């Protein structure tokens, strides 16, 4: 019998309720757990994310080197332009990654709290890091 039932990626942020709304909209998700300091969601494909309140949270600075240590999320998509419009309409923003290494089949963004993530074309043959 497995000791661990499931994993959940948890992002620290100042306003977990607002960040949960962003990712629910992006992932066609639903809220599965709510407490005073934490919101958990499950995306339509089963991905689980949680957002934990940290009043001292500082947005990561990636791709700049200062304060850039963090987790990075990758999401597989069929249409980069369509999902980019959705990201922006939900309050996310494209990251300036001109000259960054990597394939052209992916684009970098930041969520409303500043966490970076990548949209990558599904079926892309590029290596995942």
């Amino acid at each position: 019998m497995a000791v661990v039932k499931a994993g959940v990626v948890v992002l620290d942020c100042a306003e977990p309720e607002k960040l949960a709304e962003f990712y629910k909209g992006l992932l066609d998700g639903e809220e599965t757990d709510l407490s005073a300091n934490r919101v958990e969601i499950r995306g339509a494909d089963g991905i689980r994310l949680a957002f934990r309140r940290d009043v001292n949270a500082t947005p990561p600075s990636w791709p700049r080197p200062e304060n850039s240590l963090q987790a990075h999320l990758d999401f597989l998509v069929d249409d980069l332009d369509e999902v980019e419009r959705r990201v922006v309409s939900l309050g996310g923003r494209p990251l300036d990654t001109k000259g960054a290494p990597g394939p052209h089949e992916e684009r970098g963004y930041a969520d409303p709290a500043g966490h970076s993530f990548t949209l990558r074309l599904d079926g892309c043959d590029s290596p995942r890091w």
Side-chain angles (χ1 to χ4, degrees):
M1 173 186 268
V3 177
V4 177
K5 290 174 51 176
V8 178
V9 174
V10 180
L11 300 175
D12 291 345
C13 58
E15 299 177 280
E17 300 83 4
K18 286 185 179 180
L19 199 54
E21 287 300 316
F22 172 82
Y23 282 102
K24 282 188 332 189
L26 179 63
L27 303 172
D28 290 326
E30 64 181 349
E31 189 174 289
T32 58
D33 191 36
L34 174 67
S35 69
N37 291 310
R38 189 174 181 276
V39 180
E40 185 174 323
I41 67 163
R42 179 175 293 123
D45 71 346
I47 187 172
R48 294 172 63 179
L49 295 174
F51 312 96
R52 185 181 68 90
R53 188 177 317 280
D54 178 352
V55 295
N56 297 314
T58 311
S61 62
W62 189 89
R64 296 181 320 275
E66 63 278 359
N67 187 33
S68 66
L69 294 176
Q70 60 178 300
H72 179 88
L73 305 172
D74 275 4
F75 298 107
L76 300 177
V77 302
D78 291 323
D79 184 326
L80 285 169
D81 293 331
E82 178 184 345
V83 181
E84 178 174 288
R85 286 189 292 275
R86 181 180 233 178
V87 166
V88 171
S89 75
L90 292 166
R93 64 181 171 81
L95 291 175
D96 180 12
T97 57
K98 291 183 179 109
H104 296 286
E105 296 88 5
E106 64 180 40
R107 296 180 191 164
Y109 300 87
D111 67 27
H115 302 103
S116 64
F117 62 93
T118 299
L119 299 179
R120 182 187 312 267
L121 281 178
D122 194 13
C124 175
D125 292 332
S126 64
R128 298 175 197 264
W129 49 83

